[in-house]
Amino acid sequence: AQSVTQLGSHVSVSEGALVLLRCNYSSSVPPYLFWYVQYPNQGLQLLLKYTSAATLVKGINGFEAEFKKSETSFHLTKPSAHMSDAAEYFCAVSGTGNQFYFGTGTSLTVIP
Amino acid sequence: DVKVTQSSRYLVKRTGEKVFLECVQDMDHENMFWYRQDPGLGLRLIYFSYDVKMKEKGDIPEGYSVSREKKERFSLILESASTNQTSMYLCASSPLAGGFYNEQFFGPGTRLTVL
């Protein structure tokens, strides 16, 4: 069975500071992992995905994530936060039939 | 660009009404999904479909049904709406080829309020 856990339902950072959003996964098979972003009153947009080609994955808007099998983690980072990064972020793992299992989400606030 | 559209952005219905939420995708995807999103609970899968006229229950199918008569369209039906079905509903699609590592493409969502 697959599942993900996002630690911290709310994260606040100052503009220009490092963004770190945590995701740990559980999977009985090699996992395929995804990060999505949701801006207010919009659907989800893919930030990046891990498909075993490389452990460090670069995505859109300056975000990246590192797959660490030993820690069962796939944390999302961005070196310098912008005001426009304020949104809800979801980690997900893919299962049988491309069914996704989502975390409960992390709301990111960027303080000017 | 893949486009997933949903028939309404905001919907207000009364308890007991039959509600139809429509989703259309334009990329010939085989897989389509319906989720509901609630604060603190993330996205929960209601139903999904791998092909026309096929449907599979997700994690929370109670109180819902679906219809997929055409490949591009996947409808979610609330037979008798209740206040606990007030939520954001998100539709998504993905191609069958490639399996596990295909991303899902999401529509903008329908915020349903049941009074």
Side-chain angles (χ1 to χ4, degrees):
Chain A
Q2 287 83 20
S3 67
V4 294
T5 301
Q6 291 183 242
L7 298 176
S9 57
H10 294 89
V11 171
S12 295
V13 299
S14 297
E15 193 174 13
L18 172 72
V19 176
L20 170 61
L21 304 181
R22 300 177 187 274
C23 174
N24 288 89
Y25 70 89
S26 173
S27 178
S28 55
V29 297
Y32 293 98
L33 295 158
F34 303 77
W35 274 102
Y36 281 84
V37 61
Q38 184 182 36
Y39 298 105
N41 296 315
Q42 294 187 26
L44 275 67
Q45 177 184 2
L46 182 71
L47 274 177
L48 50 82
K49 63 180 180 181
Y50 168 74
T51 59
S52 77
T55 57
L56 183 62
V57 182
K58 294 187 183 299
I60 62 171
N61 301 338
F63 284 93
E64 62 182 36
E66 186 173 9
F67 174 74
K68 291 187 177 181
K69 185 177 179 180
S70 60
E71 299 177 7
T72 61
S73 69
F74 189 57
H75 300 332
L76 182 71
T77 60
K78 182 174 181 178
S80 176
H82 295 163
M83 295 299 294
S84 60
D85 294 327
E88 185 104 22
Y89 292 80
F90 292 94
C91 181
V93 62
S94 176
T96 305
N98 195 221
Q99 185 175 346
F100 276 27
Y101 301 89
F102 285 89
T104 52
T106 298
S107 178
L108 176 66
T109 299
V110 182
I111 304 166
Chain B
D1 277 356
V2 175
K3 194 166 184 181
V4 181
T5 57
Q6 295 184 229
S7 51
S8 304
R9 293 300 305 274
Y10 299 93
L11 209 53
V12 180
K13 295 293 181 180
R14 297 215 173 266
T15 301
E17 280 193 76
K18 191 170 186 176
V19 182
F20 293 87
L21 303 182
E22 306 285 341
C23 175
V24 177
Q25 51 94 4
D26 66 359
M27 282 301 292
D28 201 37
H29 285 169
E30 289 81 5
N31 302 328
M32 295 190 75
F33 307 83
W34 273 107
Y35 296 89
R36 66 176 281 175
Q37 181 182 9
D38 300 289
L41 298 178
L43 277 74
R44 293 179 292 167
L45 184 63
I46 305 171
Y47 269 97
F48 58 105
S49 169
Y50 296 134
D51 201 351
V52 175
K53 298 197 183 293
M54 286 190 59
K55 60 183 179 182
E56 298 285 344
K57 292 180 180 179
D59 299 320
I60 52 164
E62 296 78 18
Y64 304 94
S65 62
V66 291
S67 172
R68 194 163 181 202
E69 296 296 320
K70 293 185 178 182
K71 189 175 185 179
E72 68 271 17
R73 187 180 299 270
F74 193 35
S75 301
L76 180 69
I77 303 157
L78 287 65
E79 294 289 344
S80 178
S82 64
T83 55
N84 62 13
Q85 292 179 309
T86 292
S87 186
M88 169 73 96
Y89 290 88
L90 292 165
C91 176
S93 72
S94 68
L96 182 62
F100 285 69
Y101 57 81
N102 286 326
E103 68 182 274
Q104 292 186 6
F105 296 85
F106 283 81
T110 295
R111 188 167 294 281
L112 173 67
T113 301
V114 182
L115 302 175

